[in-house]
Amino acid sequence: MEILKKIMTALRGGAREVGEAVVDAQGTRILEQEIRDAKESLDDAKNNLTDVMAKESQAQRKAQLIKSQIKETEGHVNEALDKGEERLALELAEKIAGMESELAEQNEITKSFGDHVDRLKSLMQDAERQIAEYERQLSMVKTTESVHKATEAISDSFATTSSNVRSAKETLERIKAKQEHAEDRLAAAQELEREASGADLDEKMAKAGVGQTGPDANDILERIKAKRK
Amino acid sequence: MATTYLKDLAIRLAETPDNFDCQLIPGDVDVLQVVVDDLEEFPIYMSVSDTQVLFITYLWTEADVNPEQRTTMLEAMLDMNIPIPLSAFSRIGDRYVLFGAARRDSSLDAIVTELHTLAENALDALEAMQEFFL
């Protein structure tokens, strides 16, 4: 999109100017204005919509009323015919003709309100899509700006504290040293655990032949031999 | 708004059983520095906008890169962007970064995952890319 291209151009123009280039971008203000305008027209459309929808149901009610009046009058016509009142029946039929044309008119009005509602709804959808699109573009500008400002804040905080930016090699060496240290500590902990459980001492004693308690065959043989003498 | 969000987040992160060391850096744009476990080489910098939270950690600078290897490195970074979970490579000025983004209304769980993943990814990335450094 247009905005993304502008950001790319600004970024390629050099990091130092990016902040300003993006902050100053007339585009930001224009976008914000466009979002406001689109939201306003969306509000207008909403107001219009409720208005038109009210008128539509009003027209529908009116048509319904005429329909029921026609039905009622048709009943009267039948009654008049039953009683042989031909003239009255004709008069009533003329009344029905008038009501029918009124109904046709009312239906026309209802339909035109319905069309208007559809138009307004699609207008609102367009406006909502437009707002989402403007907001997406604005967020690109704002994010770029924010990231650069955040980097400045972080750099400032680095400058004031002693933890200066290390080179990649130094960082790697630190990590390696830490990992070795962690391995040494793990080995030491295992050693300590072995010592604490006595396994280590038993092993040493067995090696030195110290503390063996089981009877020794040689000793027994010597003892028996001594008794025989 | 952003400050409140970040302060609130710092408190909530401190209450998790995980080992997070949080520090607020005030500025034009407020930033929350989070050190995950003992990965202090890769502090994560969080900033918020109206809609999203950005997690950024700095990897290395242009000065670290062997000029002869630069294009190969950039291609490798592009190739690795998808395999690296939840994070992507980028650049701010002359610093190469790894970053993640989440919705502003993301759950604490999602943010915790993002922080752990990003710090571990940064460590892996630095180790994987060391052949390109001077």
Side-chain angles (χ1 to χ4, degrees):
Chain A
M1 236 11 260
E2 184 77 357
I3 285 293
L4 196 58
K5 200 171 172 190
K6 275 187 193 158
I7 293 173
M8 191 172 84
T9 311
L11 288 171
R12 288 176 72 182
R16 204 149 289 240
E17 297 145 50
V18 171
E20 284 163 42
V22 179
V23 179
D24 273 6
Q26 194 80 1
T28 309
R29 258 163 301 168
I30 293 171
L31 272 173
E32 279 170 342
Q33 186 57 48
E34 273 167 355
I35 289 173
R36 272 197 298 274
D37 290 350
K39 280 185 173 165
E40 250 169 56
S41 67
L42 184 63
D43 270 352
D44 286 350
K46 270 183 193 162
N47 286 337
N48 263 329
L49 183 63
T50 44
D51 201 34
V52 175
M53 280 168 87
K55 282 181 178 158
E56 187 191 13
S57 50
Q58 213 175 1
Q60 270 169 349
R61 273 199 306 276
K62 208 166 174 185
Q64 206 54 48
L65 186 71
I66 296 168
K67 265 187 212 162
S68 64
Q69 281 172 346
I70 289 173
K71 217 175 171 187
E72 198 189 333
T73 314
E74 274 171 356
H76 293 157
V77 171
N78 272 323
E79 244 177 88
L81 286 175
D82 288 345
K83 290 180 177 165
E85 296 277 357
E86 198 77 24
R87 277 184 69 97
L88 181 61
L90 188 63
E91 251 177 73
L92 286 166
E94 272 165 10
K95 194 181 167 193
I96 291 175
M99 285 192 291
E100 273 181 355
S101 70
E102 203 187 331
L103 177 64
E105 206 178 299
Q106 210 53 241
N107 281 338
E108 200 56 44
I109 291 170
T110 310
K111 189 181 170 302
S112 100
F113 280 135
D115 290 349
H116 199 170
V117 167
D118 289 345
R119 254 199 325 278
L120 281 173
K121 279 185 177 165
S122 102
L123 246 148
M124 280 166 62
Q125 267 176 6
D126 287 350
E128 271 162 3
R129 255 199 300 274
Q130 193 71 63
I131 290 168
E133 173 58 21
Y134 286 144
E135 282 180 337
R136 190 177 68 86
Q137 294 192 27
L138 187 63
S139 102
M140 286 195 245
V141 177
K142 284 194 163 173
T143 304
T144 313
E145 185 189 327
S146 153
V147 163
H148 282 269
K149 281 188 172 171
T151 305
E152 276 166 31
I154 294 159
S155 301
D156 289 351
S157 124
F158 268 140
T160 51
T161 64
S162 57
S163 65
N164 237 317
V165 188
R166 276 182 288 272
S167 78
K169 273 271 146 73
E170 283 165 349
T171 307
L172 276 166
E173 275 157 21
R174 266 177 69 102
I175 290 165
K176 222 172 135 191
K178 244 168 67 173
Q179 282 169 345
E180 278 167 9
H181 183 61
E183 276 166 27
D184 289 349
R185 271 177 45 181
L186 187 68
Q190 280 171 347
E191 184 61 32
L192 230 78
E193 170 62 24
R194 265 160 48 82
E195 279 173 20
S197 72
D200 191 50
L201 197 59
D202 289 347
E203 221 170 86
K204 279 184 188 162
M205 279 164 66
K207 227 179 199 170
V210 176
Q212 282 182 343
T213 49
D216 190 283
N218 283 323
D219 292 347
I220 294 169
L221 194 61
E222 285 303 317
R223 198 177 68 214
I224 295 169
K225 275 180 183 170
K227 274 188 186 163
R228 278 160 61 94
K229 279 178 187 171
Chain B
M1 276 274 284
T3 316
T4 316
Y5 180 93
L6 290 175
K7 275 183 187 163
D8 183 47
L9 192 63
I11 293 166
R12 289 165 69 206
L13 284 173
E15 282 168 354
T16 63
D18 301 64
N19 186 14
F20 292 122
D21 183 5
C22 301
Q23 197 186 329
L24 196 70
I25 302 171
D28 270 355
V29 169
D30 290 319
V31 178
L32 182 66
Q33 176 185 294
V34 184
V35 173
V36 180
D37 293 327
D38 54 351
L39 286 168
E40 73 234 9
E41 288 81 8
F42 302 104
I44 292 164
Y45 297 100
M46 296 180 62
S47 56
V48 265
S49 72
D50 296 344
T51 52
Q52 60 174 0
V53 189
L54 276 180
F55 305 73
I56 296 176
T57 188
Y58 296 92
L59 295 171
W60 57 80
T61 67
E62 207 64 77
D64 290 313
V65 181
N66 180 350
E68 285 170 19
Q69 295 279 312
R70 194 168 175 275
T71 307
T72 320
M73 181 195 77
L74 294 174
E75 284 177 354
M77 289 166 83
L78 203 54
D79 290 339
M80 286 197 296
N81 261 341
I82 290 180
I84 293 183
L86 295 179
S87 318
F89 287 109
S90 186
R91 189 175 61 161
I92 303 171
D94 63 350
R95 291 171 167 194
Y96 290 89
V97 306
L98 201 62
F99 79 100
R103 287 164 54 124
R104 194 187 157 119
D105 55 6
S106 293
S107 68
L108 187 63
D109 267 0
I111 288 173
V112 166
T113 307
E114 187 74 43
L115 287 166
H116 278 294
T117 314
L118 187 56
E120 279 152 19
N121 285 343
L123 176 62
D124 288 351
L126 200 73
E127 284 180 333
M129 310 283 264
Q130 49 183 309
E131 60 180 292
F132 303 121
F133 303 146
L134 281 172

